Amino acid sequence: IKNIGQLNLIKFRCDACHNEVRGIRFDCVHCPSLIFCEKCEQRATLQHSNEVRAQNKPQHIFQVIPTVQNANV
């Protein structure tokens, strides 16, 4: 990547704990704005799956996305 010093990093917030996502990000493929961090993933995705199941909808899939930890890498 050229000009890595000028790289603008998009910061994401976890929809469960509202902290900035660091490490791995979990995005619901079916709900474009639903994002969970590593710490909240297991509990939050299970809760989301139960909500979807209660609505008699197909289960949702979460995409695993590594996030940039440091722009100086």
Side-chain angles (χ1 to χ4, degrees), residues 2-72:
K2 291 183 180 180
N3 300 323
I4 195 159
Q6 298 174 3
L7 183 63
N8 289 324
L9 300 176
I10 298 172
K11 295 183 180 180
F12 295 91
R13 296 223 171 257
C14 175
D15 288 309
C17 68
H18 306 288
N19 290 322
E20 182 180 330
V21 175
R22 296 183 178 275
I24 298 174
R25 185 175 98 220
F26 295 83
D27 290 14
C28 181
V29 174
H30 304 276
C31 303
S33 64
L34 189 61
I35 297 169
F36 298 128
C37 67
E38 286 182 81
K39 292 179 182 177
C40 296
E41 179 268 334
Q42 187 174 18
R43 177 187 48 79
T45 55
L46 179 60
Q47 180 180 352
H48 183 63
S49 293
N50 290 338
E51 291 167 359
V52 170
R53 187 178 305 114
Q55 297 171 15
N56 292 320
K57 294 181 181 178
Q59 287 299 302
H60 288 194
I61 297 168
F62 282 81
Q63 182 176 7
V64 178
I65 303 170
T67 59
V68 176
Q69 294 290 319
N70 186 340
N72 296 325

